[in-house]
Amino acid sequence: MTDITAGEIPVFDSIAAFREWRKEMIRQNKTVGFVPTMGALHEGHLGLVQTAKQECDVVAVSIFVNPAQFAPHEDLDQYPRTFDTDYASLVASKACSAILLPKVSEMYPVGITLDRSQQRGTFVEVQGLSHQMEGIPRPHFFRGVATVVTKLFNIVQPDRAYFGQKDAQQCVVLRAMIRDLLLPIRMRSIPTRREADGLAMSSRNRYLTPEMRNVATLLYRAITAAKEAIIERGVSDREEILAPAYKIIDEVSQEVKAQGLPFDIRLDYLSLVDVETLSELTTLGKSQAAILSGAIYVGTTRLIDNVLINTNEL
């Protein structure tokens, strides 16, 4: 068993070496929690690691920027790669036992291109849950996510895997994948970690300028207003539920323009779906579990967020 750092946490850049570590955990009869990440760690990631440590004997964290979930026009090359600070954060957490830092060449043995039509090899796709919501503007995305998570699960063989509810659709897709592929893994989805003003923590928040950051909470405020329409006024019609959300986004967009700020606000989508089928709802049933979500662009930075209706966990 080899690692690539003499630091406090072993870092494995080879799948074979990591598997030797995993065999040792089996010999010691230790349960393994797993937190897959793309790096650029923030307190949301570290909260997942801490929860995993509370529930498992040891915790493995993967850091891998997955090419298969990016389209040719997206920001793969610009995606932040901050291993030194990520490593320091994991050491400080005192909750991580091993870091998997796999190479693209091992994860995709026949190579990987961002052009889906030119891709070769084996991919995993969860039909029926991947082509709505986030799957509309990013039809490649969940195929890439399901594929890389399956590969990581095969390497790590975790007892439990931990994901954040900020990526609500991803949680639904991966839970279905675990069920359908008969994987012996318990998935845990953990509530979204937020900044003091409500902004969901995200690696992409670092792209926001101070002026952008001042208005970046508008999506959370918008979907929260929509949720309040359900809870406080008993609204069940889709258009009435979403109306206050559209109003807030439009008002903030107009304010940004009026102030002459060097960026604009652009709504990608707002969505109200059943929590199991991800079907868009025209009417919300009285006790129906649903996801109220959306995506906006603040300048060129795309932010997503969601709130849950009549459910605490995905």
Side-chain angles (χ1 to χ4, degrees):
M1 179 169 64
T2 60
D3 61 74
I4 60 171
T5 178
E8 297 182 51
I9 306 172
V11 181
F12 301 96
D13 69 346
S14 132
I15 292 173
F18 183 90
R19 282 176 166 157
E20 288 301 313
W21 176 85
R22 184 64 180 93
K23 287 177 184 176
E24 181 60 29
M25 297 305 103
I26 292 173
R27 283 191 287 268
Q28 295 181 25
N29 198 32
K30 290 186 175 180
T31 56
V32 175
F34 177 45
V35 180
T37 82
M38 294 210 302
L41 303 184
H42 50 69
E43 288 300 319
H45 294 114
L46 298 177
L48 297 179
V49 177
Q50 292 287 356
T51 301
K53 181 58 177 172
Q54 292 168 10
E55 298 180 357
C56 303
D57 295 323
V58 294
V59 179
V61 173
S62 65
I63 297 176
F64 181 69
V65 181
N66 176 34
Q69 63 196 64
F70 289 81
H73 66 280
E74 293 181 331
D75 59 349
L76 174 62
D77 291 339
Q78 285 73 44
Y79 195 88
R81 291 160 172 83
T82 57
F83 178 76
D84 289 345
T85 54
D86 292 345
Y87 181 82
S89 296
L90 290 170
V91 170
S93 77
K94 301 185 185 303
C96 178
S97 306
I99 298 172
L100 174 62
L101 194 69
K103 303 180 185 74
V104 173
S105 59
E106 277 206 285
M107 294 296 286
Y108 295 96
V110 299
I112 184 70
T113 174
L114 302 192
D115 183 349
R116 180 171 171 171
S117 69
Q118 299 299 312
Q119 290 175 350
R120 298 294 180 267
T122 303
F123 294 85
V124 178
E125 190 160 9
V126 180
Q127 297 286 2
L129 298 174
S130 299
H131 300 97
Q132 54 272 74
M133 300 164 69
E134 283 291 289
I136 295 173
R138 307 182 74 193
H140 57 284
F141 180 71
F142 290 109
R143 177 175 180 261
V145 169
T147 298
V148 78
V149 172
T150 299
K151 290 171 182 274
L152 291 169
F153 282 171
N154 285 336
I155 298 165
V156 177
Q157 297 180 25
D159 297 286
R160 298 187 180 196
Y162 296 78
F163 298 88
Q165 286 181 8
K166 182 179 76 70
D167 301 299
Q169 185 175 7
Q170 175 176 283
C171 288
V172 175
V173 167
L174 294 179
R175 195 177 295 282
M177 185 190 79
I178 289 170
R179 177 199 66 208
D180 293 347
L181 296 184
L182 310 179
L183 301 177
I185 297 167
R186 181 180 176 191
M187 178 178 154
R188 294 274 282 112
S189 55
I190 307 303
T192 302
R193 184 73 68 93
R194 299 184 180 279
E195 304 288 355
D197 61 0
L199 181 66
M201 292 183 178
S202 169
S203 300
R204 285 193 166 90
N205 289 352
R206 65 186 65 202
Y207 296 150
L208 299 171
T209 66
E211 289 175 318
M212 292 175 179
R213 178 64 183 81
N214 286 338
V215 300
T217 60
L218 85 159
L219 180 57
Y220 180 59
R221 290 191 284 118
I223 59 177
T224 298
K227 183 174 182 177
E228 288 172 353
I230 298 168
I231 295 173
E232 296 179 6
R233 304 204 313 273
V235 174
S236 60
D237 177 76
R238 175 191 180 85
E239 291 187 7
E240 288 186 68
I241 291 170
L242 296 181
Y246 283 116
K247 183 173 184 290
I248 288 172
I249 292 169
D250 183 62
E251 288 175 350
V252 174
S253 178
Q254 294 304 318
E255 288 173 10
V256 166
K257 288 180 182 177
Q259 294 174 25
L261 295 175
F263 61 91
D264 61 359
I265 301 295
R266 179 164 61 89
L267 175 65
D268 195 344
Y269 70 87
L270 288 175
S271 180
L272 177 67
V273 300
D274 179 88
V275 77
E276 293 184 0
T277 67
L278 300 186
S279 300
E280 292 287 345
L281 300 172
T282 56
T283 303
L284 181 68
K286 208 164 199 181
S287 59
Q288 185 165 19
I291 304 170
L292 218 171
S293 67
I296 59 164
Y297 284 91
V298 179
T300 58
T301 301
R302 186 173 185 272
L303 303 177
I304 65 171
D305 205 346
N306 68 85
V307 292
L308 304 181
I309 308 298
N310 297 327
T311 182
N312 294 318
E313 185 171 306
L314 298 172

